[in-house]
């Protein structure tokens, strides 16, 4: 999707955080709970030169690290 498109186009990817989404969206699914949301736009992440799927994965990691750094939360997928 967005990562592959940014990599192919050689353009930046702009990560964003939706603060409050953990409160609004239950892990069990169902309808969202009413709550205030705040969107934070982060600095663009520059896509590396095209080099196959590994460069797309690297761009994804860069964006994920930028988001996790701002959230100051543990990386649930690293375990």
């Amino acid at each position: 999707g967005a990562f592959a498109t940014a990599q192919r186009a050689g353009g930046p990817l702009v990560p964003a955080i939706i603060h409050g989404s953990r409160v609004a969206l239950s892990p069990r699914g169902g309808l969202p709970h009413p709550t205030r949301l705040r969107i934070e736009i982060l600095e663009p992440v520059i896509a590396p030169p095209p080099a196959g799927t590994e460069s797309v994965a690297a761009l994804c990691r860069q964006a994920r690290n930028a988001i996790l750094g701002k959230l100051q939360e543990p990386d649930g997928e690293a375990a």
Side-chain angles (χ1 to χ4, degrees):
F3 298 103
T5 300
Q7 193 268 336
R8 275 195 306 270
L13 180 94
V14 182
I17 300 171
I18 303 174
H19 296 277
S21 61
R22 289 189 194 273
V23 174
L25 302 173
S26 169
R28 293 181 296 277
L31 295 174
H33 302 287
T35 190
R36 184 173 295 261
L37 299 176
R38 182 174 62 88
I39 300 173
E40 180 179 1
I41 307 299
L42 304 182
E43 292 294 319
V45 176
I46 306 303
T53 58
E54 186 54 39
S55 59
V56 173
L59 180 59
C60 181
R61 281 190 302 274
Q62 282 181 281
R64 181 176 180 77
N65 289 338
I67 291 168
L68 289 172
K70 283 284 191 172
L71 289 175
Q72 298 178 341
E73 293 181 7
D75 185 353
E77 289 190 10

